[in-house]
C-alpha cells in the first residue's frame, strides 16, 4: 500500500551510471521502475552520442541504446515517465512495460514471473523489483504474499540461455532472490556481493559465441573481459 517512493541513494545511482558508461552498454532490461530508470536513460543517451556510428557500422545488435523497464504498477510507470526528459522518450531510449505478476514454479521451486516481457537481448539486467506482495495466485497454498517471505523473481532463469557472454546482472539488495538465482543459473556466471553497497553482481564469463559477439565484447569490455574469463576458468 506504500505510495511514497523511497528517497534516492545517490551513491548507488552514480555507480549504476558509471557502470553503464564504462561498459559501453547498448541495451538494458530493468525490473522495477524508479530513479534508476532516469539514470540508465541518461547513460544510454551519452553512449549513443559516443558510440552509435561505430556500433551501427561494425556490430550486429538490435534495440540499440534502449532501456526497457518492466513494472506491475501503472502509477509508478507514470511517475517515472513524468521524471524523464522528453528526449529520452522521443529518441526511443526509454521504454516502459506494464505487466501482471504471477506465482509459479521453476524446477519445482515456488517463485514469481512477469506475465509478459519485452523481446530483447540485454547486455545489462538490473533487478530491483517486483515486491513480494503483488503476485497473483498460489501453489499448494503457498505464495510470496507473507510478511516473512522474500521477493523471488525467476524471470532471468527463463531466458538465461539467450543471453550473450559479457552480460552483466546487477541485483539491488534482495539477497534471498540473488541466492536463488545463484543456485539455479546454469551457465558460467561469476558472482560478487558487495556488503557496503548491498548489491550483487553476476557476469556471464564464457567464450564469445562467434565473431559478432566477440566484436561486441572487444568494443564494450575490452581485454579486461578476457582477463576475468581466464581467471574464472
Amino acid at each position: 500500500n506504500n505510495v511514497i517512493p523511497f528517497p534516492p541513494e545517490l551513491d548507488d545511482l552514480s555507480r549504476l551510471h558509471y557502470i553503464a558508461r564504462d561498459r559501453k552498454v547498448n541495451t538494458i532490461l530493468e525490473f522495477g521502475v524508479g530513479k534508476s530508470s532516469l539514470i540508465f536513460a541518461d547513460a544510454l543517451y551519452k553512449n549513443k552520442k559516443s558510440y552509435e556510428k561505430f556500433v551501427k557500422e561494425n556490430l550486429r545488435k538490435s534495440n540499440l541504446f534502449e532501456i526497457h523497464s518492466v513494472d506491475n504498477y501503472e502509477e509508478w510507470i507514470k511517475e517515472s515517465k513524468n521524471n524523464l526528459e522528453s528526449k529520452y522518450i522521443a529518441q526511443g531510449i526509454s521504454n516502459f512495460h506494464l505487466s501482471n505478476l504471477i506465482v509459479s514454479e521453476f524446477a519445482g521451486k515456488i517463485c514469481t514471473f512477469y506475465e509478459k516481457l519485452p523481446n530483447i537481448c540485454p547486455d545489462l539486467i538490473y533487478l530491483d523489483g517486483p515486491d513480494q506482495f503483488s503476485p497473483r495466485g498460489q501453489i499448494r497454498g503457498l505464495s510470496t504474499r507473507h510478511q516473512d517471505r522474500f521477493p523471488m523473481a525467476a524471470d532471468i532463469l527463463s531466458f538465461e540461455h539467450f543471453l550473450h557472454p559479457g552480460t552483466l546482472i546487477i541485483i539491488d539488495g534482495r539477497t534471498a532472490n540473488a541466492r536463488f538465482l545463484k543456485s539455479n543459473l546454469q551457465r558460467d556466471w561469476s558472482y560478487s556481493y558487495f556488503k557496503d553497497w548491498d548489491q550483487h553482481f553476476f557476469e556471464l564469463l564464457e567464450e564469445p559465441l562467434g565473431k559478432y559477439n566477440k566484436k561486441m565484447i572487444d568494443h564494450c569490455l575490452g581485454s579486461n573481459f578476457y582477463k576475468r574469463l581466464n581467471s574464472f576458468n
Side-chain angles (χ1 to χ4, degrees):
N1 295 321
N2 178 43
V3 295
I4 302 174
F6 293 111
E9 297 185 35
L10 298 181
D11 56 339
D12 285 349
L13 294 175
S14 62
R15 186 181 309 112
L16 294 176
H17 191 277
Y18 172 81
I19 289 171
R21 289 285 284 147
D22 183 61
R23 295 176 67 91
K24 301 178 185 177
V25 167
N26 290 279
T27 311
I28 297 174
L29 175 60
E30 177 185 44
F31 293 102
V33 302
K35 297 295 190 298
S36 57
S37 307
L38 170 61
I39 293 300
F40 280 133
D42 183 76
L44 289 175
Y45 176 76
K46 290 180 168 63
N47 285 354
K48 182 177 182 178
K49 292 204 299 184
S50 298
Y51 310 118
E52 182 177 31
K53 186 176 185 296
F54 176 86
V55 170
K56 285 187 173 181
E57 292 178 355
N58 294 277
L59 305 181
R60 189 173 70 180
K61 182 75 168 68
S62 302
N63 304 105
L64 286 173
F65 312 108
E66 295 178 4
I67 173 172
H68 291 258
S69 304
V70 183
D71 204 288
N72 56 295
Y73 286 112
E74 189 172 8
E75 56 267 35
W76 291 130
I77 290 178
K78 289 180 180 178
E79 178 78 13
S80 294
K81 282 185 176 180
N82 290 335
N83 289 331
L84 283 172
E85 294 184 46
S86 59
K87 62 185 178 184
Y88 300 142
I89 300 290
Q91 295 190 25
I93 293 173
S94 296
N95 303 270
F96 294 91
H97 305 266
L98 179 65
S99 179
N100 292 326
L101 282 161
I102 57 171
V103 175
S104 187
E105 292 180 296
F106 181 86
K109 301 173 180 65
I110 293 171
C111 56
T112 65
F113 289 100
Y114 283 101
E115 284 188 332
K116 187 175 182 180
L117 296 176
N119 191 24
I120 61 171
C121 187
D123 43 328
L124 189 153
I125 301 171
Y126 184 58
L127 181 61
D128 192 28
D131 67 276
Q132 71 199 68
F133 297 103
S134 298
R136 301 173 179 176
Q138 48 82 29
I139 303 291
R140 301 186 305 281
L142 300 175
S143 77
T144 60
R145 296 187 307 275
H146 188 284
Q147 63 182 5
D148 296 333
R149 300 253 194 265
F150 317 101
M152 204 59 64
D155 302 274
I156 295 171
L157 299 175
S158 66
F159 57 81
E160 177 195 1
H161 288 281
F162 289 109
L163 298 174
H164 294 179
T167 300
L168 181 70
I169 301 171
I170 305 174
I171 304 176
D172 196 356
R174 306 170 68 93
T175 295
N177 200 165
R179 291 177 180 175
F180 171 69
L181 293 177
K182 185 172 182 289
S183 297
N184 288 280
L185 288 167
Q186 297 179 342
R187 296 172 69 185
D188 293 332
W189 296 87
S190 67
Y191 167 75
S192 301
Y193 172 64
F194 294 89
K195 185 176 180 180
D196 290 345
W197 307 342
D198 193 22
Q199 287 184 330
H200 308 257
F201 295 82
F202 295 82
E203 186 177 28
L204 186 50
L205 292 178
E206 293 179 344
E207 292 289 341
L209 295 172
K211 65 179 183 179
Y212 291 109
N213 183 214
K214 186 178 187 306
K215 284 184 178 181
M216 176 75 72
I217 290 172
D218 291 346
H219 167 66
C220 296
L221 306 177
S223 60
N224 285 333
F225 173 82
Y226 298 102
K227 291 178 182 178
R228 293 193 294 274
L229 175 62
N230 293 332
S231 176
F232 182 74
N233 292 333

